[in-house]
Amino acid sequence: MNRKYRKVIIAGNWKMNMLPSKVKRYVEELRGAMPKFKTCNIVLCVPFPMIPNLRKATRDSRIAVGAQNVNEHEKGAYTGEVSISMLEDLNVKYVIVGHSERRQYFGETDFTVNAKVKSLLDAGIVPIICVGESLEQREFDLTMEHISYQIKAALHGLAPEQVRKCVVAYEPIWAIGTGRTATSEQAQEVCEHIRAIIRRGYGARVARSVSILYGGSMNSQNSAELLSMPDIDGGLIGGASLDPAEFARIIEATDQE
Ligand code: 13P
């Protein structure tokens, strides 16, 4: 982490879990368990139907509301989709873009990721851009090439001032939901690489202010070590964010520098 130049962010990704009726209780438990002093920015990226309840429950708190996907088109005949202005109207501050599960199961491409990032930034919503290599890519020593490609595509056509507002999450696919975390060195190496690509494209000032998160089996046992790395500015947490006490312990770990 480097608090001097960038935000520390702990974001939960509930994926397709939890129920709207359980949101209030979760937030009460989280607020009771988390440190009273401000250690980091906290975000909960929840399924669309839970956003209104989350918004109500987090009023007067420092927990920001996030979503897990959005459609890049403004409005119109896109049955089943959710637009950016709908999320804006619900005061959503962050949206996950290009999660590997969306790329794998729902046909999300680097080009749709780029379109979503642009539209979100236009609306003043922070995109959390997910990148990450598969196990095969790692074994073939293609990790850095793959990550470079994903980052360049996601940020294509953006002005430096827009890139500055983005958050990147490095999520190695082989570490998601598997209990197999990247070592802090492996995660640091890729996060450092991501920052170098941004530096090359947009300059040092922009690169040092972009928060880069790690995601993939992060929990209260491994978070302090991952967060001690200089280019890891927070976490995008799946399974471990479903338990408010566990999520609070990860938030607390941001204070252990
Ligand atoms: P897990 O923490 O369950 O491995 O999920 C990580 C993730 O995909 C967050 O977006």
Side-chain angles (χ1 to χ4, degrees), residues 104-135:
Q104 188 181 347
Y105 306 127
F106 304 102
E108 185 103 321
T109 69
D110 291 299
F111 306 103
T112 51
V113 167
N114 176 253
K116 291 179 184 194
V117 168
K118 281 181 179 157
S119 306
L120 284 166
L121 288 168
D122 286 344
I125 297 177
V126 178
I128 303 178
I129 304 164
C130 296
V131 296
E133 81 287 4
S134 65
L135 191 57

Side-chain angles (χ1 to χ4, degrees), residues 60-111:
D60 309 318
S61 84
R62 55 197 186 83
I63 302 166
V65 177
Q68 301 171 9
N69 181 38
V70 75
N71 189 286
E72 66 275 26
H73 299 288
E74 211 178 304
K75 61 176 178 174
Y78 299 100
T79 302
E81 290 297 277
V82 169
S83 75
I84 291 172
S85 55
M86 292 174 198
L87 298 183
E88 215 183 343
D89 196 52
L90 288 170
N91 215 16
V92 168
K93 301 290 184 208
Y94 294 82
V95 175
I96 297 173
V97 181
H99 192 283
S100 59
E101 287 151 15
R102 294 219 57 87
R103 294 179 193 253
Q104 188 181 347
Y105 306 127
F106 304 102
E108 185 103 321
T109 69
D110 291 299
F111 306 103

Side-chain angles (χ1 to χ4, degrees), residues 158-180:
L158 298 183
E161 279 316 301
Q162 291 179 297
V163 175
R164 241 188 130 168
K165 294 183 183 132
C166 295
V167 171
V168 175
Y170 167 53
E171 299 206 313
I173 297 170
W174 47 270
I176 296 176
T178 57
R180 186 177 161 193

Side-chain angles (χ1 to χ4, degrees), residues 13 15 99 101 171 175-177 216-218 236-239:
N13 175 9
K15 308 193 179 183
H99 192 283
E101 287 151 15
E171 299 206 313
I176 296 176
S217 299
M218 194 165 172
L236 183 55
I237 295 121

Side-chain angles (χ1 to χ4, degrees), residues 120-157:
L120 284 166
L121 288 168
D122 286 344
I125 297 177
V126 178
I128 303 178
I129 304 164
C130 296
V131 296
E133 81 287 4
S134 65
L135 191 57
E136 290 84 348
Q137 287 166 326
R138 179 157 281 269
E139 284 169 350
F140 276 56
D141 204 14
L142 290 167
T143 299
M144 298 308 185
E145 279 90 345
H146 179 67
I147 299 290
S148 303
Y149 181 91
Q150 286 189 313
I151 292 287
K152 283 185 189 169
L155 303 180
H156 178 78

